[in-house]
Amino acid sequence: MDERTIAGLFATLVIVALAVLGVFGFSNGYLIDSPDSGFLAPTIGVLVVTVLVVGGLTALGAGSRRWRENPYW
C-alpha cells in the first residue's frame, strides 16, 4: 500500500468515527434523554441545511470542467 491509500483509509476511518460520535451524541441528547427544551426542531433544520449545502458544493465541484480535466485524477 502506498502513502495515499493509507492516508485515504485513515481519513475515511476518522470521518466514520466522527459520524458515529455525532449520531451517538444526538441520540443520547435528544432521543434518549428527551429534553423539554425546544432545540430539537432547530437542530434538525441545521442538519438539513448543512447536508444540502455540502451536497450542493460537492455537486458543483464534481461537475466542474476544471476538476474533470485535472491530470491528477
Side-chain angles (χ1 to χ4, degrees):
M1 294 179 96
D2 63 342
E3 292 90 16
R4 285 183 13 193
T5 304
I6 294 171
L9 180 62
F10 180 71
T12 303
L13 289 175
V14 167
I15 291 170
V16 168
L18 288 174
V20 167
L21 285 173
V23 168
F24 173 74
F26 179 78
S27 63
N28 191 27
Y30 284 109
L31 302 179
I32 295 173
D33 289 341
S34 210
D36 293 332
S37 63
F39 292 125
L40 181 61
T43 301
I44 299 285
V46 167
L47 290 174
V48 168
V49 169
T50 302
V51 167
L52 289 175
V53 168
V54 170
L57 290 174
T58 302
L60 285 173
S64 71
R65 181 183 313 243
R66 183 174 175 186
W67 182 79
R68 288 179 289 168
E69 292 177 353
N70 189 347
Y72 178 77
W73 303 108

